[in-house]
Amino acid sequence: SAVISQKPSRDICQRGTSLTIQCQVDSQVTMMFWYRQQPGQSLTLIATANQGSEATYESGFVIDKFPISRPNLTFSTLTVSNMSPEDSSIYLCSVAQGMLAKNIQYFGAGTRLSVL
Amino acid sequence: DAKTTQPTSMDCAEGRAANLPCNHSTISGNEYVYWYRQIHSQGPQYIIHGLKNNETNEMASLIITEDRKSSTLILPHATLRDTAVYYCIVRVDMYNNNDMRFGAGTRLTVKP
């Protein structure tokens, strides 16, 4: 299994500002993902963070709003830009060791974001 | 990926077996069945997965019907710490298709 550390664990931000969330893994992983979980809802995939190339975004999510970096095989960041109260959610980092569906995916504890 | 259907909520008595069903009637031959759970204020936790055979690990057992159209996650001796939302996910075993897509899940409440 992989141990995933997310920072910050929670934050309260003002409308119009940006927040960068960090995800650090204790081992090199092939795949890293970012999810959003809105209050009372299930998880929704935002994007796949690709090492050495641009992230792959899901429908409804754009790079200008959620820029992602993945400088190496153990670290990624997600920025929530120009925040509004609708961005109040839990943001989760996830990793998988391999490229195949049979590979288990592991999750961090999440970053709880409140936008005022 | 095949769609799954789970009950919205279930209760279970502490110490008894918790049996959580999942329907995936449109599952295809190369799709795995995964189970995750999310305890309040934590990230999802992997429990178990399987293709066609029943599987058991230290956390749970996974029973998949012969036609693979449904499955049951069994927690043999539920404790209060097993109270969580349980997600059944079906996913095609393809290269570069290993992100998990979560449905609404089943909220399991274990009662003393």
Side-chain angles (χ1 to χ4, degrees), chain B residues 27-56:
Chain B
I27 194 170
S28 60
N30 61 348
E31 289 184 305
Y32 283 78
V33 179
Y34 281 79
W35 284 84
Y36 279 76
R37 73 180 182 184
Q38 187 174 24
I39 297 170
H40 183 62
S41 297
Q42 298 183 22
Q45 176 189 23
Y46 166 80
I47 301 173
I48 198 167
H49 74 288
L51 183 61
K52 58 180 70 174
N53 298 321
N54 297 338
E55 302 288 344
T56 296

Side-chain angles (χ1 to χ4, degrees), chain A residues 31 33 35 37 41-43 45 48 58 92 96 98-110 112, chain B residues 32 34 36 38 40-46 49 87 91-104:
Chain A
M31 308 295 288
F33 309 93
Y35 287 81
Q37 187 170 29
Q41 303 296 313
S42 186
L43 286 78
L45 180 66
T48 301
E58 297 299 307
L92 297 117
M99 301 290 282
L100 296 176
K102 65 182 70 174
N103 297 115
I104 297 168
Q105 198 167 336
Y106 299 96
F107 288 80
R112 189 178 297 271
Chain B
Y32 283 78
Y34 281 79
Y36 279 76
Q38 187 174 24
H40 183 62
S41 297
Q42 298 183 22
Q45 176 189 23
Y46 166 80
H49 74 288
Y87 297 99
R91 197 174 67 177
V92 174
D93 181 19
M94 287 175 58
Y95 182 82
N96 209 24
N97 181 39
N98 58 347
D99 55 87
M100 290 291 173
R101 308 288 175 136
F102 288 79

Side-chain angles (χ1 to χ4, degrees), chain A residues 7-115:
Chain A
K7 291 181 180 179
S9 59
R10 60 177 61 233
D11 208 341
I12 300 173
C13 299
Q14 296 297 319
R15 182 195 301 260
T17 63
S18 298
L19 176 71
T20 296
I21 303 167
Q22 298 180 2
C23 177
Q24 179 74 54
V25 191
D26 68 341
S27 59
Q28 293 186 344
V29 293
T30 309
M31 308 295 288
M32 296 184 77
F33 309 93
W34 287 98
Y35 287 81
R36 180 177 73 181
Q37 187 170 29
Q38 294 177 300
Q41 303 296 313
S42 186
L43 286 78
T44 301
L45 180 66
I46 297 172
T48 301
N50 303 309
Q51 197 260 334
S53 64
E54 279 195 1
T56 304
Y57 289 84
E58 297 299 307
S59 175
F61 298 95
V62 295
I63 188 172
D64 290 345
K65 176 67 176 177
F66 298 101
I68 288 170
S69 77
R70 177 134 186 234
N72 56 51
L73 293 176
T74 63
F75 186 79
S76 177
T77 66
L78 169 75
T79 299
V80 186
S81 302
N82 188 25
M83 288 184 284
S84 68
E86 292 71 34
D87 295 318
S88 298
S89 295
I90 300 171
Y91 292 86
L92 297 117
C93 172
S94 178
V95 304
Q97 295 286 12
M99 301 290 282
L100 296 176
K102 65 182 70 174
N103 297 115
I104 297 168
Q105 198 167 336
Y106 299 96
F107 288 80
T111 295
R112 189 178 297 271
L113 171 63
S114 297
V115 183

